Amino acid sequence: MQATPTTCRHLLSLTDLTAAEIRALIARAIELKAMRRRGEDYRPLRHRILAMIFEKSSTRTRVSFEAGMAQLGGHAMFLSARDTQLGRGEPVEDAARVLSRMVDAVMIRTFEQETVERFAAYSQVPVINGLTNRLHPCQVLADIQTYVEHRGELRGRRVAWIGDGNNMCQTYMEAARLLDFELRIGCPVGFEPDPALLALYADRCEIMHDPAAAAAGADLIATDVWASMHQEDELATRMAAFAPFRVNEAVMANAAPGALFMHCLPAHRGEEVSAAVIDGPQSVVWDEAENRLHVQKALLEFLLVPAG
């Protein structure tokens, strides 16, 4: 099928943005956050509708997008796989053609990156990747905002990703190139990120199979759960492989003075992170979670409100 020509912008990957656009989005997210705390009434998305397609369940993604659209004066429509014909085998291309004639933007949280890319190719409105097995750009934008708020620019910094080479890790790889920071990936053998992405970002990323070495001198240490949704059958294997990669006080002690800890949540205390770390003074996970709201509002404004 031939894709419908479109001139709208999408966010399927961080690489859909330039470094300058990412920095502008972060600055705008911080400004929108301050406006909300001052109680300012700012509704540039009046009468705009965001369709939210969830093939994977979520707390933070749904609440942040739905609340964000409401705060900007628009409306968000929740669609699970059970609520749409996609769940009954309708082609992604057909769903994109139809939905994009009825709404102003679409957010998709699904399994395959190909799904959001196919949808975007046939959509007349902006499409946002709310998470796929490959990438999680909205969460990493929130992480970047959080670091900027606490420590300033990431340029020239060292970031340690400790754990699975998953969608978060792979999005951090994109961010490392775009924002010019060093990324050390501490993961067990066999759980590395996509080799093609490693080759692409080899100038910014290094694999280390020792968590203490990965954390050495890091300005930011980030992690995620050891088994994501629908990896439950691998849980026993993963628990054994990842046990030495828990982010605990000893790992944080190897980091640079003033290093921050982040986790995209939900977290399992005693597994990928100790309670002392996630609930400790270096942890900024609650700011990080809140910032999903603000950075996504900035993103929606960027995609839907004409510049100037």
mmCIF file of all heavy atoms in Angstrom, residues 75-98:
data_model
loop_
_atom_site.group_PDB
_atom_site.id
_atom_site.type_symbol
_atom_site.label_atom_id
_atom_site.label_comp_id
_atom_site.label_asym_id
_atom_site.label_seq_id
_atom_site.Cartn_x
_atom_site.Cartn_y
_atom_site.Cartn_z
ATOM 1 N N HIS A 75 -8.899 17.369 24.643
ATOM 2 C CA HIS A 75 -9.516 16.142 25.142
ATOM 3 C C HIS A 75 -8.680 14.950 24.686
ATOM 4 O O HIS A 75 -8.162 14.941 23.564
ATOM 5 C CB HIS A 75 -10.942 16.001 24.595
ATOM 6 C CG HIS A 75 -11.602 14.704 24.955
ATOM 7 N ND1 HIS A 75 -12.028 14.425 26.220
ATOM 8 C CD2 HIS A 75 -11.886 13.610 24.202
ATOM 9 C CE1 HIS A 75 -12.571 13.208 26.247
ATOM 10 N NE2 HIS A 75 -12.488 12.693 25.027
ATOM 11 N N ALA A 76 -8.538 13.950 25.561
ATOM 12 C CA ALA A 76 -7.827 12.725 25.225
ATOM 13 C C ALA A 76 -8.797 11.552 25.255
ATOM 14 O O ALA A 76 -9.602 11.425 26.181
ATOM 15 C CB ALA A 76 -6.681 12.487 26.197
ATOM 16 N N MET A 77 -8.715 10.712 24.254
ATOM 17 C CA MET A 77 -9.627 9.584 24.090
ATOM 18 C C MET A 77 -8.845 8.278 24.256
ATOM 19 O O MET A 77 -7.916 8.007 23.486
ATOM 20 C CB MET A 77 -10.245 9.653 22.694
ATOM 21 C CG MET A 77 -11.220 8.545 22.344
ATOM 22 S SD MET A 77 -11.700 8.690 20.591
ATOM 23 C CE MET A 77 -12.357 10.355 20.553
ATOM 24 N N PHE A 78 -9.207 7.493 25.275
ATOM 25 C CA PHE A 78 -8.514 6.233 25.558
ATOM 26 C C PHE A 78 -9.098 5.112 24.710
ATOM 27 O O PHE A 78 -10.301 4.883 24.708
ATOM 28 C CB PHE A 78 -8.643 5.876 27.037
ATOM 29 C CG PHE A 78 -8.091 4.525 27.391
ATOM 30 C CD1 PHE A 78 -6.733 4.352 27.608
ATOM 31 C CD2 PHE A 78 -8.931 3.426 27.509
ATOM 32 C CE1 PHE A 78 -6.225 3.102 27.936
ATOM 33 C CE2 PHE A 78 -8.429 2.177 27.834
ATOM 34 C CZ PHE A 78 -7.071 2.016 28.052
ATOM 35 N N LEU A 79 -8.230 4.400 23.994
ATOM 36 C CA LEU A 79 -8.640 3.276 23.156
ATOM 37 C C LEU A 79 -7.744 2.081 23.451
ATOM 38 O O LEU A 79 -6.547 2.109 23.153
ATOM 39 C CB LEU A 79 -8.529 3.642 21.669
ATOM 40 C CG LEU A 79 -9.376 4.821 21.177
ATOM 41 C CD1 LEU A 79 -8.942 5.236 19.777
ATOM 42 C CD2 LEU A 79 -10.849 4.445 21.196
ATOM 43 N N SER A 80 -8.294 1.059 24.057
ATOM 44 C CA SER A 80 -7.522 -0.172 24.269
ATOM 45 C C SER A 80 -7.688 -1.076 23.054
ATOM 46 O O SER A 80 -8.514 -0.810 22.170
ATOM 47 C CB SER A 80 -8.009 -0.895 25.520
ATOM 48 O OG SER A 80 -9.275 -1.485 25.288
ATOM 49 N N ALA A 81 -6.914 -2.140 23.005
ATOM 50 C CA ALA A 81 -7.038 -3.091 21.892
ATOM 51 C C ALA A 81 -8.457 -3.648 21.821
ATOM 52 O O ALA A 81 -8.964 -3.954 20.738
ATOM 53 C CB ALA A 81 -6.018 -4.214 22.055
ATOM 54 N N ARG A 82 -9.118 -3.756 22.967
ATOM 55 C CA ARG A 82 -10.490 -4.282 23.003
ATOM 56 C C ARG A 82 -11.499 -3.284 22.441
ATOM 57 O O ARG A 82 -12.593 -3.661 22.048
ATOM 58 C CB ARG A 82 -10.885 -4.633 24.444
ATOM 59 C CG ARG A 82 -10.067 -5.724 25.078
ATOM 60 C CD ARG A 82 -10.628 -6.084 26.451
ATOM 61 N NE ARG A 82 -10.732 -4.907 27.313
ATOM 62 C CZ ARG A 82 -9.725 -4.467 28.070
ATOM 63 N NH1 ARG A 82 -8.561 -5.080 28.047
ATOM 64 N NH2 ARG A 82 -9.882 -3.403 28.830
ATOM 65 N N ASP A 83 -11.114 -1.999 22.428
ATOM 66 C CA ASP A 83 -12.050 -0.946 22.028
ATOM 67 C C ASP A 83 -11.975 -0.597 20.546
ATOM 68 O O ASP A 83 -12.740 0.242 20.075
ATOM 69 C CB ASP A 83 -11.778 0.342 22.823
ATOM 70 C CG ASP A 83 -11.926 0.135 24.309
ATOM 71 O OD1 ASP A 83 -12.832 -0.606 24.711
ATOM 72 O OD2 ASP A 83 -11.120 0.705 25.072
ATOM 73 N N THR A 84 -11.050 -1.179 19.824
ATOM 74 C CA THR A 84 -10.849 -0.802 18.426
ATOM 75 C C THR A 84 -10.842 -2.033 17.539
ATOM 76 O O THR A 84 -10.641 -3.160 17.998
ATOM 77 C CB THR A 84 -9.515 -0.064 18.239
ATOM 78 O OG1 THR A 84 -8.432 -0.987 18.431
ATOM 79 C CG2 THR A 84 -9.368 1.095 19.217
ATOM 80 N N GLN A 85 -10.997 -1.784 16.256
ATOM 81 C CA GLN A 85 -10.933 -2.881 15.296
ATOM 82 C C GLN A 85 -9.494 -3.375 15.100
ATOM 83 O O GLN A 85 -9.284 -4.461 14.543
ATOM 84 C CB GLN A 85 -11.521 -2.432 13.952
ATOM 85 C CG GLN A 85 -13.010 -2.123 14.002
ATOM 86 C CD GLN A 85 -13.855 -3.328 14.369
ATOM 87 O OE1 GLN A 85 -13.506 -4.452 14.061
ATOM 88 N NE2 GLN A 85 -14.963 -3.081 15.058
ATOM 89 N N LEU A 86 -8.508 -2.611 15.584
ATOM 90 C CA LEU A 86 -7.133 -3.110 15.546
ATOM 91 C C LEU A 86 -7.015 -4.417 16.315
ATOM 92 O O LEU A 86 -6.266 -5.312 15.932
ATOM 93 C CB LEU A 86 -6.179 -2.072 16.154
ATOM 94 C CG LEU A 86 -5.753 -0.909 15.262
ATOM 95 C CD1 LEU A 86 -5.000 0.130 16.085
ATOM 96 C CD2 LEU A 86 -4.883 -1.402 14.110
ATOM 97 N N GLY A 87 -7.774 -4.501 17.408
ATOM 98 C CA GLY A 87 -7.764 -5.723 18.198
ATOM 99 C C GLY A 87 -8.419 -6.895 17.506
ATOM 100 O O GLY A 87 -8.302 -8.037 17.958
ATOM 101 N N ARG A 88 -9.116 -6.635 16.398
ATOM 102 C CA ARG A 88 -9.785 -7.704 15.649
ATOM 103 C C ARG A 88 -9.169 -7.867 14.264
ATOM 104 O O ARG A 88 -9.771 -8.451 13.375
ATOM 105 C CB ARG A 88 -11.277 -7.392 15.534
ATOM 106 C CG ARG A 88 -11.979 -7.290 16.881
ATOM 107 C CD ARG A 88 -13.429 -6.873 16.723
ATOM 108 N NE ARG A 88 -14.191 -7.827 15.939
ATOM 109 C CZ ARG A 88 -15.434 -7.605 15.487
ATOM 110 N NH1 ARG A 88 -16.006 -6.428 15.731
ATOM 111 N NH2 ARG A 88 -16.066 -8.514 14.790
ATOM 112 N N GLY A 89 -7.972 -7.314 14.091
ATOM 113 C CA GLY A 89 -7.243 -7.567 12.868
ATOM 114 C C GLY A 89 -7.338 -6.510 11.797
ATOM 115 O O GLY A 89 -6.882 -6.734 10.674
ATOM 116 N N GLU A 90 -7.915 -5.333 12.095
ATOM 117 C CA GLU A 90 -7.930 -4.280 11.081
ATOM 118 C C GLU A 90 -6.504 -3.867 10.753
ATOM 119 O O GLU A 90 -5.680 -3.669 11.656
ATOM 120 C CB GLU A 90 -8.708 -3.053 11.578
ATOM 121 C CG GLU A 90 -8.761 -1.930 10.542
ATOM 122 C CD GLU A 90 -9.606 -0.742 10.977
ATOM 123 O OE1 GLU A 90 -9.757 -0.527 12.193
ATOM 124 O OE2 GLU A 90 -10.111 -0.038 10.093
ATOM 125 N N PRO A 91 -6.150 -3.692 9.482
ATOM 126 C CA PRO A 91 -4.802 -3.252 9.141
ATOM 127 C C PRO A 91 -4.461 -1.915 9.799
ATOM 128 O O PRO A 91 -5.309 -1.008 9.871
ATOM 129 C CB PRO A 91 -4.855 -3.122 7.617
ATOM 130 C CG PRO A 91 -5.948 -4.053 7.198
ATOM 131 C CD PRO A 91 -6.972 -3.985 8.303
ATOM 132 N N VAL A 92 -3.246 -1.810 10.259
ATOM 133 C CA VAL A 92 -2.784 -0.574 10.878
ATOM 134 C C VAL A 92 -2.972 0.605 9.924
ATOM 135 O O VAL A 92 -3.371 1.708 10.331
ATOM 136 C CB VAL A 92 -1.297 -0.709 11.290
ATOM 137 C CG1 VAL A 92 -0.720 0.637 11.717
ATOM 138 C CG2 VAL A 92 -1.152 -1.734 12.401
ATOM 139 N N GLU A 93 -2.694 0.376 8.646
ATOM 140 C CA GLU A 93 -2.804 1.439 7.655
ATOM 141 C C GLU A 93 -4.230 1.968 7.550
ATOM 142 O O GLU A 93 -4.447 3.188 7.435
ATOM 143 C CB GLU A 93 -2.338 0.926 6.284
ATOM 144 C CG GLU A 93 -0.862 0.550 6.226
ATOM 145 C CD GLU A 93 -0.552 -0.840 6.775
ATOM 146 O OE1 GLU A 93 -1.500 -1.541 7.219
ATOM 147 O OE2 GLU A 93 0.632 -1.228 6.756
ATOM 148 N N ASP A 94 -5.217 1.068 7.614
ATOM 149 C CA ASP A 94 -6.622 1.489 7.533
ATOM 150 C C ASP A 94 -7.013 2.273 8.776
ATOM 151 O O ASP A 94 -7.710 3.296 8.701
ATOM 152 C CB ASP A 94 -7.534 0.273 7.363
ATOM 153 C CG ASP A 94 -7.382 -0.393 6.008
ATOM 154 O OD1 ASP A 94 -6.600 0.125 5.176
ATOM 155 O OD2 ASP A 94 -8.036 -1.433 5.781
ATOM 156 N N ALA A 95 -6.576 1.795 9.945
ATOM 157 C CA ALA A 95 -6.879 2.508 11.189
ATOM 158 C C ALA A 95 -6.296 3.912 11.159
ATOM 159 O O ALA A 95 -6.930 4.881 11.593
ATOM 160 C CB ALA A 95 -6.328 1.729 12.379
ATOM 161 N N ALA A 96 -5.087 4.048 10.641
ATOM 162 C CA ALA A 96 -4.449 5.360 10.557
ATOM 163 C C ALA A 96 -5.222 6.295 9.643
ATOM 164 O O ALA A 96 -5.437 7.468 9.967
ATOM 165 C CB ALA A 96 -3.011 5.201 10.067
ATOM 166 N N ARG A 97 -5.646 5.786 8.492
ATOM 167 C CA ARG A 97 -6.402 6.613 7.546
ATOM 168 C C ARG A 97 -7.689 7.144 8.175
ATOM 169 O O ARG A 97 -8.064 8.301 7.982
ATOM 170 C CB ARG A 97 -6.747 5.791 6.320
ATOM 171 C CG ARG A 97 -5.592 5.495 5.375
ATOM 172 C CD ARG A 97 -6.147 4.782 4.162
ATOM 173 N NE ARG A 97 -5.149 4.496 3.149
ATOM 174 C CZ ARG A 97 -4.676 3.289 2.872
ATOM 175 N NH1 ARG A 97 -5.098 2.250 3.563
ATOM 176 N NH2 ARG A 97 -3.792 3.112 1.911
ATOM 177 N N VAL A 98 -8.380 6.277 8.921
ATOM 178 C CA VAL A 98 -9.670 6.658 9.496
ATOM 179 C C VAL A 98 -9.494 7.580 10.695
ATOM 180 O O VAL A 98 -10.074 8.666 10.765
ATOM 181 C CB VAL A 98 -10.480 5.401 9.883
ATOM 182 C CG1 VAL A 98 -11.737 5.792 10.660
ATOM 183 C CG2 VAL A 98 -10.855 4.594 8.642
#
